[in-house]
Amino acid sequence: MQKLLFTPGPLSTSKTVKEAMLQDMGSRDHAFLLAVKEIRDGLLTLAGVSKEQGYECVIVQGSGTFGVESVVGSVVGASDTLAILVNGAYGERIVKMAKINRINHLVHRFEEDEIVTPEATEKFLEENPAITHVACIHSETTTGLFNPIEAIGAVCKAQNKVFIVDAMSSFGGVEMDMQQMHIDFLVSSSNKCIEGVPGFSFALCKRTELEKAKGQGRSLSLDLYDQWNGLESNGQFRFTPPTLSIMAFRQAMKELETEGGVSARQARYQANKKLLDEGMAALGFRQYLQPEIQGHIITSFLYPTHIPFNFEHFYNQLNDRGFVIYPGKLSKADAFRIGNIGQIFPDDIKRLVTAVKEVLQ
Ligand SMILES: *Cc1c(COP(=O)(O)O)cnc(C)c1O
């Protein structure tokens, strides 16, 4: 049985994306090098920028976290200070990276059910003039909220700070313009809204800032500047590339284009979200977040209190029917999560809701 993944990744992918991995591929193969080039250019286009406008795409082997750590560990220099704006587990992960990489950092924490506000950010930056870089999550997958990146970016820009955004679970599923949002480094990965398979992450970088990272990486394999330099010199990776994952991703990007680009994909995810909201509400489920800050990527549902509920049992019963949901990650409330991204269509959401109803009965 082909299970459907209602998770934040890895996600359900199309048959044709999986088929793109059937051919063994050497790391110097012309088709592979061409795919790398097309992907690097294509990702910049999706972010509304180009090389001519001064942006670069660096692909980093590994999952999304590797890409974030590559950026944070390479672009924040020894005498710089990173401000981390946290309202969930992925923000906390950047704090961990800063500690392990011995990066000077300051943390501003918000509640998990509140957005990072531009006002608080502005005040925090004014109070701490040592700050040179700011990191924030766009779609906080812990809860599903969207932080107001453009407004936070405007504050960073006005105060001349380098702005790093983890747009892991939103890039490709939410229309974004890096320049308009004042983002200097945007990180996402192969197995989220572009709908490829796991294997790599990518950083979209403002070139003038990327150049400053030369010689200051804190890790050999995650040195962002050296990785870029390697890709630029001969189009190849410094170390074994995720060849098949790249081929699948090239196909996934073509399918994104065929679907109608990011705006069409966003519309599909929003349609999924609407059906999920309506279906789950009709079954008596309440959501953790207020609707104004809830994004259309993933939703946290509170454990119901009107009926006996055991998450393990609920999860297993849905799993047996071919629907994979996701546990919660909240620090203060019991919840589970359902994602709308990947090769999931409104009919799949209807079938999921029907299965939830059956399981509850
Ligand atoms: C998925 C995700 C990541 C990366 O997680 P990996 O397990 O390393 O792929 C980072 N940040 C956010 C917000 C995510 O949703």
Side-chain angles (χ1 to χ4, degrees), residues 4-300:
L4 277 178
L5 306 177
F6 295 86
T7 68
L11 306 171
S12 296
T13 56
S14 71
K15 186 160 179 287
T16 34
V17 162
K18 289 186 272 281
E19 281 168 355
M21 297 186 288
L22 290 176
Q23 194 86 241
D24 288 325
M25 186 65 70
S27 56
R28 288 156 186 258
D29 193 299
H30 178 70
F32 171 69
L33 296 181
L34 184 66
V36 171
K37 190 187 173 319
E38 286 177 353
I39 288 170
R40 291 180 64 208
D41 291 342
L43 287 172
L44 291 176
T45 307
L46 290 184
V49 295
S50 65
K51 278 176 91 99
E52 293 68 41
Q53 287 171 300
Y55 291 81
E56 295 286 344
C57 171
V58 186
I59 300 177
V60 179
Q61 295 98 320
S63 79
T65 304
F66 292 58
V68 178
E69 188 156 11
S70 174
V71 169
V72 168
S74 303
V75 310
V76 187
S79 54
D80 294 334
T81 298
L82 174 67
I84 310 168
L85 310 173
V86 177
N87 57 347
Y90 291 94
E92 293 295 350
R93 192 176 290 179
I94 299 181
V95 176
K96 244 188 209 168
M97 285 173 197
K99 282 189 184 143
I100 289 174
N101 285 280
R102 298 175 202 278
I103 293 168
N104 301 322
H105 64 283
L106 293 166
V107 183
H108 192 332
R109 286 193 175 80
F110 298 78
E111 294 297 326
E112 271 178 351
D113 58 354
E114 284 174 8
I115 54 168
V116 171
T117 64
E119 295 77 19
T121 303
E122 184 168 34
K123 189 159 168 279
F124 188 60
L125 296 182
E126 279 165 5
E127 285 167 0
N128 298 283
I131 293 168
T132 51
H133 296 65
V134 176
C136 188
I137 313 290
H138 179 218
S139 166
E140 226 327 332
T141 318
T142 314
T143 52
L145 67 71
F146 280 3
N147 282 315
I149 290 299
E150 185 169 342
I152 298 165
V155 168
C156 292
K157 176 92 175 179
Q159 300 204 31
N160 213 12
K161 314 296 181 193
V162 177
F163 192 29
I164 301 168
V165 175
D166 169 345
M168 204 70 64
S169 64
S170 51
F171 187 73
V174 178
E175 288 193 274
M176 280 183 222
D177 182 315
M178 256 184 97
Q179 228 164 5
Q180 192 185 318
M181 294 167 101
H182 315 289
I183 302 173
D184 297 299
F185 293 92
L186 181 155
V187 187
S188 185
S189 75
S190 58
N191 61 277
K192 303 252 174 164
C193 297
I194 314 274
E195 302 185 356
V197 303
F200 64 90
S201 57
F202 51 87
L204 308 180
C205 319
K206 192 165 191 180
R207 189 184 304 117
T208 49
E209 292 304 328
L210 178 59
E211 282 165 345
K212 293 180 191 162
K214 185 176 182 176
Q216 65 183 27
R218 291 170 174 84
S219 146
L220 170 69
S221 55
L222 295 180
D223 188 315
L224 188 72
Y225 181 89
D226 281 357
Q227 183 81 353
W228 175 51
N229 201 35
L231 286 166
E232 284 298 296
S233 61
N234 57 6
Q236 295 181 19
F237 286 75
R238 292 177 299 158
F239 311 118
T240 304
T243 44
L244 299 183
S245 169
I246 289 275
M247 298 316 286
F249 195 76
R250 177 72 198 97
Q251 176 62 25
M253 285 183 75
K254 282 186 189 153
E255 292 177 16
L256 171 59
E257 204 177 312
T258 308
E259 183 170 350
V262 176
S263 60
R265 182 151 296 176
Q266 170 167 328
R268 169 162 63 91
Y269 290 168
Q270 283 169 335
N272 288 347
K273 167 75 176 143
K274 186 162 179 283
L275 279 176
L276 182 71
D277 286 352
E278 290 167 1
M280 293 295 280
L283 297 175
F285 285 94
R286 288 194 306 118
Q287 298 188 14
Y288 174 66
L289 293 177
Q290 294 302 313
E292 311 83 70
I293 61 171
Q294 169 72 56
H296 58 265
I297 301 294
I298 191 165
T299 308
S300 294

